[in-house]
Amino acid sequence: MSELPRFDRGHTDDLMSFLAASPTPYHAVANAAQRLEKAGFRQVAETDAWDATSGGKYVLRGGAIIAWYVPEGADPHTPFRIVGAHTDSPNLRVKPRPDTGAHGWRQIAVEIYGGPLMNSWLDRDLGLAGRLTLRDGTTRLVNVDRPLLRVPQLAIHLDRNVTADGLKLDKQRHLQPVWGLGDTVRDGDLIAFLEQEAGLTAGEVTGWDLMTHSVEPPAYLGRDQELLAGPRMDNLLSVHAGTAALAAAASAPGLSYIPVLAAFDHEETGSQSDTGADGPLLGTVLERSVLARGGTYEDRARAFADTVCLSSDTGHAVHPNYAERHDPTHHPRVDGGPILKVNVNNRYATDGSGRAVFAAACEKAGVPFQTFVSNNSMPCGTTIGPITAARHGIRTVDIGTAILSMHSARELCGANDPHLLANALVAFLRS
């Protein structure tokens, strides 16, 4: 791998564009696919028979994408090198009957998705985006990327105890956004509005998967612009890095592994869906790739036995105002390079052999890395890593990028860390 500058602003600029253009998992996988198409990848349908041709291929299903590159002359038992990530982020999602309101306000009924920092969604200009399903069964992406909704906070004059007692939000009553004025609630208003936005005829939409997003664009922050603030870094930062790494790895000569990007939906709610890491999608795609190259069950078993997955997700950088919440001997810093996540209770999948794989990739890329473990007094989160390892019998290593404000509507990382992560992933996929 050729030497790269320590700070590649071009990579981070591209990440900012990717974040801004990907308000939903459906948009994220469409944008990832577009980047892979430019690198020579082609989409294959799950309903078609797959052939043994070499080259880059990808499958789209809902908010998930599985992409892989088969080198010339790859054997049926050639193992895989997988970068795993997830496309979803905590937010407010539109309910089946969205039109509501009271006291002269028109509102949208929303449901809480995942575990957002709810206060971060207050008094913020919100857009609305997602997937519309039409009468003929096709889908259309829609993105109203302008101030449309707002969840107004109660004035301090009407809640004098908020300073002393802290803000307390009822998920049902306090997070329904306003989007206009009117005494009459008319069923169908929101969908009719979105049909117009998407250039569709009235009544054409029969299903929808819609969610809110902050319309404030990503931005460099700080005196020297060494920080990056933006939405959905958990975990589109890894999706973007994995996409860039796969495209770069596909151009490398003499690959001894089949490099793969697996970006799943629904990680924030447990991964149990047909597009989640706990579903069959990854295993089905990998097995079909083996069989398309003339392989047998024995070839599949051999390939999986030597396969490694890097589960890449954001992790917690040490917080300057809450350092006591972190393990006292493990303080990952922003712009300190990617983090290796370890938990002996298998909330992360990393073990000693996995650490060696990641350390070798970072050494090859010339990238420093750090280690994260939770404070013993604090519960530890989890990722797609343990699910991938258990479901497919694949050696899996949990890694990521250290950030602040995880699950906020707007998160914070070092401006150089996305580039460092991508470099490490390229080295891993090319190994």
Side-chain angles (χ1 to χ4, degrees), residues 131-140 204-207:
R131 178 179 65 174
L132 303 174
T133 303
L134 311 186
R135 288 188 179 278
D136 62 5
T138 61
T139 59
R140 182 76 61 85
E204 199 171 349
V205 172
T206 57

Side-chain angles (χ1 to χ4, degrees), residues 267-353:
E267 188 272 347
E268 299 292 357
T269 56
S271 295
Q272 292 184 324
S273 71
D274 70 318
T275 54
D278 203 19
L281 183 58
L282 176 61
T284 298
V285 168
L286 298 185
E287 184 169 357
R288 289 186 68 179
S289 175
V290 170
L291 297 177
R293 284 175 278 123
T296 63
Y297 180 82
E298 183 73 9
D299 291 310
R300 174 205 178 277
R302 292 175 65 187
F304 277 39
D306 198 24
T307 290
V308 183
C309 174
L310 290 189
S311 164
S312 181
D313 203 345
T314 54
H316 303 295
V318 62
H319 197 300
N321 300 336
Y322 300 91
E324 73 281 0
R325 302 296 182 98
H326 300 264
D327 182 86
T329 59
H330 295 78
H331 280 175
R333 298 188 176 191
V334 298
D335 269 0
I339 54 174
L340 180 75
K341 300 179 179 181
V342 179
N343 180 266
V344 295
N345 295 301
N346 289 331
R347 300 294 285 173
Y348 303 131
T350 307
D351 63 10
S353 64

Side-chain angles (χ1 to χ4, degrees), residues 216-227:
E216 184 180 3
Y220 289 106
L221 184 145
R223 184 193 65 181
D224 299 318
Q225 295 191 326
E226 68 268 52
L227 299 171

Side-chain angles (χ1 to χ4, degrees), residues 22-26 63 86-98 108-116 121 126-131 149 151 171 175-177 190 208-213 232 234 264-269 273 275:
S22 305
T24 76
Y26 315 112
H86 68 88
T87 60
D88 60 319
S89 301
N91 57 16
L92 312 178
R93 302 203 171 189
V94 174
K95 288 184 175 181
R97 296 188 61 186
I108 301 300
V110 296
E111 191 172 4
I112 311 303
Y113 179 84
W121 290 87
L126 304 176
L128 193 64
R131 178 179 65 174
L149 309 168
V151 182
K171 293 180 180 179
L175 290 171
Q176 308 306 308
L190 177 65
W208 53 88
D209 302 279
L210 300 166
M211 56 204 77
T212 60
H213 65 277
R232 299 177 294 282
D234 179 17
F264 302 100
D265 202 352
H266 303 130
E267 188 272 347
E268 299 292 357
T269 56
S273 71
T275 54

Side-chain angles (χ1 to χ4, degrees), residues 97-102 105-110 176-177 179 185 187:
R97 296 188 61 186
D99 299 292
T100 186
W105 294 98
R106 296 174 67 190
Q107 295 176 275
I108 301 300
V110 296
Q176 308 306 308
W179 78 308
V185 174
D187 284 339

Side-chain angles (χ1 to χ4, degrees), residues 10 74 78 83 101 130 144 151 176-177 267 276 280 288 299 301-302 335 357 373 375 377 386 390 397 421 423:
T78 299
V83 172
V144 185
V151 182
Q176 308 306 308
E267 188 272 347
R288 289 186 68 179
D299 291 310
R302 292 175 65 187
D335 269 0
V357 171
V373 294
N375 185 307
S377 300
V397 189
L421 174 65
N423 281 354

